[in-house]
Amino acid sequence: MGIPTVLDRVIQQAIAQILGARVDSTFSEYSYGFRPRRSAHQAVRKVRSYIVDGYRVAVGVDLRQFFDRVDHDVLMHYVGRHVRDKRVMALIGKYLRAGFSKDGRLHQTRRGVPQGGPLSPLLANILLHELDRELEKRGHRFARYADDFIIMVKSQRAGERVLASIQRFLERKLKLQVNEDKSRVVPASGCEFLGFVFRGKKIRWSEKAFLAFKRRIRELTGRSWFVPMRVRLHKLAQYLRGWMTIRQDRRIGRPFGRPEGAAQGWAESTTSASRNTTDRCRNWITGCVAGCGCATGNSGATAAPRRETCASSACRCVPRLLWV
């Protein structure tokens, strides 16, 4: 992780905006990470469409410490295809080799892309676009979100063959290291992608992601964290909104119960001394989204706030967190 200074962040953002607008149209349609009007939900739904079409074996390739192991020469070679101005190329190179400060000492960076800056995701997409082109040339069904990608095939044997060939391509041409312990070929029902799992034709939150969510809720609501209640609620609301932005989709089921249950349960268990705060926290409520066809939903907008979710067994709504 490398956090740039304010001035460096402004300059990197300017480069990313100009360069991103130029190169985004050249990226693969199966690349979904850090691109305008694209999301993790789209990547997950694309994988589900492959499963529906009969591609029910997943090839999961894990890149070992991707952002820390990017070869600068390889990266700059592909960046040079889009940037003709040598001054901009030199500036990008300086950011890659700027080093980092730890314990008051400056350490050099001979490889890797520092995370935390606006330019890093774009550089990662430029490099991994070569992987996308190779997969498209071979006719593979795949989806990629930043350095997380999955390839869908029809048989175990085909998956093992694809894994071996893609590993050779990554290591020889892009100089990236594959984590052989985590890379595997498994049935679609046994793979996890971006915190989701696939059960037949259905998408579910992975148990690992949900347990991490509950663990974070316990940290934010624990009695050992001695902060004012207003600060606690602010942090809790931030985390819940962010988590639901990533996970919330009406086509994605929730096999582990409502995610806001942990927070709402904590709110109702707080002491009477914080009754006013408790009343505010109880306003994390659910409402049916538009178009579900249930009695609670209404057309064109989220339904009015309610304490209960829709009673209809056919309702496919997901919880919508509201801060009142």
Side-chain angles (χ1 to χ4, degrees):
M1 178 67 73
I3 307 299
T5 63
V6 175
L7 179 59
D8 288 337
R9 179 176 290 275
V10 172
I11 297 174
Q12 288 188 30
Q13 183 63 44
I15 297 175
Q17 287 183 203
I18 301 300
L19 182 58
R22 177 179 300 178
V23 304
D24 187 78
S25 60
T26 67
F27 288 158
S28 169
E29 63 177 302
Y30 307 108
S31 170
Y32 297 92
F34 305 108
R35 296 182 61 191
R37 296 178 296 280
R38 289 177 175 263
S39 67
H41 289 164
Q42 294 174 329
V44 173
R45 290 198 294 270
K46 173 59 70 174
V47 174
R48 182 182 60 179
S49 71
Y50 295 146
I51 296 174
V52 172
D53 292 340
Y55 295 84
R56 299 181 179 177
V57 176
V59 181
V61 184
D62 183 80
L63 298 178
R64 187 189 300 273
Q65 298 177 331
F66 169 74
F67 283 94
D68 296 331
R69 294 178 177 271
V70 170
D71 186 282
H72 289 172
D73 292 335
V74 175
L75 174 60
M76 294 302 291
H77 169 72
Y78 292 118
V79 172
R81 294 183 176 181
H82 305 283
V83 180
R84 299 301 181 187
D85 193 321
K86 294 184 178 180
R87 295 171 299 176
V88 177
M89 289 288 292
L91 185 57
I92 294 175
K94 288 181 179 180
Y95 280 127
L96 292 175
R97 299 185 297 271
F100 62 95
S101 178
K102 183 178 180 181
D103 298 328
R105 299 182 60 184
L106 182 63
H107 300 263
Q108 293 184 343
T109 50
R110 301 184 183 279
R111 60 180 180 178
V113 178
Q115 299 184 62
L119 194 56
S120 301
L122 178 60
L123 295 178
N125 273 337
I126 290 176
L127 177 63
L128 292 177
H129 175 60
E130 298 306 311
L131 170 64
D132 299 340
R133 291 179 58 189
E134 181 68 17
L135 293 174
E136 288 180 343
K137 185 172 68 175
R138 299 183 185 188
H140 291 314
R141 273 70 175 175
F142 73 98
R144 182 177 66 82
Y145 190 93
D147 59 323
D148 292 323
F149 68 97
I150 189 171
I151 307 169
M152 304 302 297
V153 295
K154 289 189 173 182
S155 68
Q156 182 77 16
R157 187 173 180 180
E160 292 173 355
R161 185 171 61 250
V162 169
L163 177 59
S165 63
I166 291 302
Q167 181 174 352
R168 288 194 299 269
F169 173 82
L170 289 169
E171 293 179 348
R172 294 178 182 178
K173 187 167 184 178
L174 300 185
K175 301 295 190 294
L176 297 174
Q177 187 173 356
V178 174
N179 189 339
E180 296 183 4
D181 295 333
K182 294 184 178 181
S183 300
R184 53 181 183 160
V185 181
V186 295
S189 59
C191 76
E192 179 180 341
F193 184 54
L194 302 178
F196 296 95
V197 294
F198 305 90
R199 298 292 181 260
K201 299 178 182 180
K202 298 180 180 179
I203 305 172
R204 295 287 185 263
W205 300 328
S206 71
E207 185 174 3
K208 179 180 177 181
F210 195 75
L211 290 177
F213 167 81
K214 294 202 295 185
R215 183 169 58 251
R216 181 58 177 160
I217 291 296
R218 285 194 293 269
E219 292 174 356
L220 293 173
T221 59
R223 296 178 182 273
S224 59
W225 190 30
F226 300 103
V227 296
M229 185 63 72
R230 184 176 298 276
V231 174
R232 188 188 298 269
L233 290 178
H234 176 69
K235 293 294 184 181
L236 187 59
Q238 278 186 328
Y239 180 72
L240 287 174
R241 282 197 297 266
W243 202 89
M244 290 303 296
T245 298
I246 298 174
R247 306 293 173 190
Q248 181 169 302
D249 190 307
R250 71 171 65 183
R251 284 159 288 192
I252 296 176
R254 51 173 195 272
F256 307 110
R258 301 185 184 92
E260 77 275 16
Q264 192 164 345
W266 163 77
E268 295 180 355
S269 67
T270 52
T271 62
S272 58
S274 301
R275 187 168 303 278
N276 292 336
T277 304
T278 302
D279 291 339
R280 282 174 59 83
C281 199
R282 281 177 180 153
N283 285 328
W284 274 307
I285 49 185
T286 60
C288 292
V289 296
C292 73
C294 69
T296 306
N298 62 48
S299 60
T302 304
R306 295 168 58 93
R307 296 281 177 148
E308 310 83 11
T309 53
C310 173
S312 171
S313 59
C315 179
R316 300 175 60 191
C317 291
V318 297
R320 182 178 295 273
L321 297 179
L322 302 175
W323 175 249
V324 180

